[in-house]
Amino acid sequence: AALLIITMASCSSMKISSDKNAGFDFNSINTYKIEYAFDGENSNMLINELMQARIHESLDHELNQRGLSAGDDPEIIIAYSSEIDAKKNYSTSSTYMGGPYYGGRGRYYGGYGLGTSYSNTHEYTTFDGKLIISMYEAETGELLWYSGGQKQLNMKTKKADEKIAKAISKIMEEFPLEIIDNSLAINK
């Protein structure tokens, strides 16, 4: 399993997909618990403890803004997980040298000269990351809401707290409860 020490940079190009159980009364929710949903057999991404803390803190902020509180006997479980896909890409560049004529002292002579062409193909790998947030009813385990963000990853951890907060905020835009307390917002 790869170790997640990467961040989703600018969220403007993040692709979001979301779905919810339309028959559930989301306004009845008051308490939650956050869990890291790592399935060692089916996951290809391990989120390290530092990144887990960042995600947990950002989720807490987002949920608190919506009037929800963490609790020991929660009504819902908020679970997060991640995936990473490595994609091979190829880039080819060509250089042409030579020409159709050969010359001497500024004059062209008839005939064709020799030219050569060189092509170089380079292989490189990009990584697309997905951060998935799901909400389950604590008592039954029924999936109530799902949202995931997908983006090409930036392998740098500079400003990781800010980048994770922005990514989670973008993913949580589709959360079924509106923000009621902006004073808790993380600077965006």
Side-chain angles (χ1 to χ4, degrees), residues 8 81-85 128-132 148-151 153:
M8 295 179 162
S81 61
S82 65
E83 296 176 12
I84 190 168
D85 295 320
D128 283 345
K130 296 177 188 174
L131 181 60
I132 301 158
Q150 179 176 348
K151 175 167 183 41
L153 298 174

Side-chain angles (χ1 to χ4, degrees), residues 79-98:
Y80 63 91
S81 61
S82 65
E83 296 176 12
I84 190 168
D85 295 320
K87 294 183 178 181
K88 290 190 186 269
N89 299 286
Y90 300 91
S91 174
T92 302
S93 61
S94 297
T95 305
Y96 178 75
M97 298 185 332

Side-chain angles (χ1 to χ4, degrees), residues 24 42-43 77 95 100 103 110 122 126 136-137 141 165 172 179 182 186:
F24 185 79
N42 297 319
S43 181
I77 304 295
T95 305
H122 302 280
T126 57
Y136 297 91
E137 191 169 24
M172 293 291 288
I179 292 175
N182 275 327
I186 298 172

Side-chain angles (χ1 to χ4, degrees), residues 29-143:
I29 302 168
N30 295 305
T31 58
Y32 67 88
K33 179 180 178 184
I34 298 173
E35 295 181 353
Y36 172 42
F38 175 69
D39 177 1
E41 293 181 19
N42 297 319
S43 181
N44 63 348
M45 181 63 90
L46 174 65
I47 301 176
N48 69 41
E49 292 172 3
L50 297 172
M51 199 59 74
Q52 286 181 42
R54 290 179 183 111
I55 293 169
H56 194 104
E57 180 181 356
S58 294
L59 283 170
D60 268 334
H61 277 79
E62 289 290 328
L63 295 166
N64 292 161
Q65 288 184 95
R66 290 164 170 80
L68 302 178
S69 302
D72 293 331
D73 188 24
E75 297 161 293
I76 60 168
I77 304 295
I78 300 292
Y80 63 91
S81 61
S82 65
E83 296 176 12
I84 190 168
D85 295 320
K87 294 183 178 181
K88 290 190 186 269
N89 299 286
Y90 300 91
S91 174
T92 302
S93 61
S94 297
T95 305
Y96 178 75
M97 298 185 332
Y101 301 104
Y102 60 92
R105 298 186 184 231
R107 297 177 60 191
Y108 292 101
Y109 294 95
Y112 288 93
L114 298 175
T116 58
S117 176
Y118 298 98
S119 292
N120 291 318
T121 300
H122 302 280
E123 178 183 299
Y124 60 98
T125 304
T126 57
F127 298 94
D128 283 345
K130 296 177 188 174
L131 181 60
I132 301 158
I133 302 170
S134 304
M135 178 185 4
Y136 297 91
E137 191 169 24
E139 190 174 304
T140 65
E142 178 184 0
L143 179 63

